[in-house]
């Protein structure tokens, strides 16, 4: 139990000191060797790192996610407003403008 606590505290200290240093390098690398997240722009020798890999179809993917959830949110709000009106919890006033 004590060795587990010592290992966890040591890992915590090393991880925090790595984030405080100036050039930490890549945070994580997947199986293909691509950097998943990077917080630095220079290597430990001062060399500028290459551009990160760009996600293809970033804007298209955003629309594919945003549009359906906006539509679902719209349906939920319309149904909830109808439920409130049906149970007379909230009934909008009819303003008759007889001008």
């Amino acid at each position: 139990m004590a060795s587990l606590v010592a290992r966890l505290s040591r890992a915590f200290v090393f991880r925090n000191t790595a984030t405080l240093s100036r050039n930490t390098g890549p945070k994580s690398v997947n199986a293909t060797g691509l950097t998943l997240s990077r917080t630095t722009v220079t290597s430990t020798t001062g060399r500028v790192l290459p551009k990160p890999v760009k996600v293809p179809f970033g804007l298209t993917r955003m629309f594919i996610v945003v549009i359906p959830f906006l539509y679902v949110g719209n349906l939920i709000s319309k149904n909830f407003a109808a439920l409130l009106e049906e149970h007379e919890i909230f009934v909008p006033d009819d303003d008759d403008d007889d001008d």
Side-chain angles (χ1 to χ4, degrees):
M1 183 71 167
S3 65
L4 175 66
V5 172
R7 277 189 288 151
L8 289 176
S9 64
R10 190 175 334 129
F12 179 75
V13 168
F14 286 136
R15 184 180 60 201
N16 285 342
T17 56
T19 57
L20 294 176
S21 67
R22 183 162 186 228
N23 295 320
T24 58
K27 292 293 181 189
S28 58
V29 177
N30 64 5
T32 61
L34 298 175
T35 304
L36 297 178
S37 70
R38 182 170 68 185
T39 60
T40 61
V41 292
T42 59
S43 66
T44 55
T45 60
R47 181 178 60 92
V48 176
L49 295 173
K51 284 185 175 181
V53 178
K54 230 180 151 177
V55 177
F57 306 111
L59 193 60
T60 306
R61 286 182 183 177
M62 184 190 70
F63 283 121
I64 289 172
V65 170
V66 169
I67 301 281
F69 282 102
L70 281 175
Y71 182 71
V72 169
N74 181 22
L75 290 177
I76 291 171
S77 64
K78 282 188 347 186
N79 288 336
F80 192 68
L83 179 77
L84 290 176
E85 195 172 330
E86 179 182 332
H87 293 288
E88 297 180 1
I89 297 171
F90 173 75
V91 179
D93 293 330
D94 291 330
D95 292 334
D96 293 330
D97 292 330
D98 294 330
D99 291 333

